[in-house]
């Protein structure tokens, strides 16, 4: 799952996670909130996203505001976790590198710094290598004991 917005074109891309089946990338009409039929080359409604070995499930999607490259987090749910670049025209992916955590979402700030979260941690991510910093616990200490 994931969603990314292009501020210059108004395009919205989203990933539909289909367990056991290849995930798909589709576009959403910002005015109606519905998917846009025939919006990809060859009048396709969606693009099948490529997989990376056993990693088939996209868990995050974001657009770099410095070069408009689409990035995704992909996992197999069993320890194979990667940051990938996504070609928004054909669904191909390029592996940026393995991450040390199963990331649940991604986002860029205005400077092009990639950020990611997993179960309670916020990470700065090197978008050229997928390296995560040490991370910061995003829950206050008082709540840490109550989260599961």
């Amino acid at each position: 799952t994931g969603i990314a917005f292009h501020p210059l074109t108004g395009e919205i891309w989203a990933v539909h996670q289909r367990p056991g089946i290849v995930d798909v990338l589709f576009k959403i009409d910002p005015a109606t909130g519905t998917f846009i039929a025939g919006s990809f080359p060859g009048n396709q409604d969606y693009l099948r996203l490529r997989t990376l070995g056993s990693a088939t499930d996209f868990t995050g999607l974001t657009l770099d505001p410095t070069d408009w490259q689409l990035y995704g987090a992909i996992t197999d749910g069993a320890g194979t976790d990667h940051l990938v670049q996504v070609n928004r025209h054909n669904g191909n992916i390029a592996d940026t590198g393995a991450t040390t955590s199963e990331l649940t979402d991604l986002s860029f700030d205005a400077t092009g710094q990639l950020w990611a979260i997993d179960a309670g941690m916020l990470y700065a991510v090197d978008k050229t290598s997928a390296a995560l910093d040490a991370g910061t616990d995003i829950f206050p200490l008082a709540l840490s004991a109550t989260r599961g």
Side-chain angles (χ1 to χ4, degrees):
T1 55
I3 190 167
F5 174 74
H6 195 304
L8 299 181
T9 66
E11 291 175 290
I12 300 173
W13 296 274
V15 171
H16 176 56
Q17 194 178 66
R18 305 180 315 167
I21 305 173
V22 175
D23 293 351
V24 295
L25 181 70
F26 62 99
K27 288 185 183 178
I28 298 173
D29 183 328
T32 65
T34 59
F35 98 98
I36 303 171
S39 61
F40 290 101
N43 207 31
Q44 296 179 81
D45 292 339
Y46 58 85
L47 297 175
R48 286 185 176 92
L49 291 168
R50 303 308 183 257
T51 61
L52 187 62
S54 62
T56 61
D57 295 330
F58 277 77
T59 58
L61 189 70
T62 191
L63 188 70
D64 186 338
T66 64
D67 63 5
W68 311 121
Q69 175 62 54
L70 204 56
Y71 284 82
I74 189 170
T75 185
D76 69 354
T80 301
D81 307 295
H82 288 259
L83 178 69
V84 295
Q85 294 181 351
V86 179
N87 183 314
R88 61 184 185 253
H89 303 292
N90 61 23
N92 288 338
I93 62 172
D95 186 19
T96 301
T99 62
T100 54
S101 181
E102 183 177 329
L103 305 177
T104 57
D105 206 1
L106 304 169
S107 187
F108 278 97
D109 66 22
T111 68
Q113 173 60 58
L114 180 58
W115 297 93
I117 60 170
D118 70 3
M121 297 292 285
L122 173 70
Y123 301 98
V125 182
D126 182 327
K127 64 186 176 186
T128 63
S129 69
L132 307 179
D133 71 358
T136 303
D137 189 336
I138 59 176
F139 291 100
L141 186 57
L143 293 177
S144 293
T146 62
R147 80 171 177 213

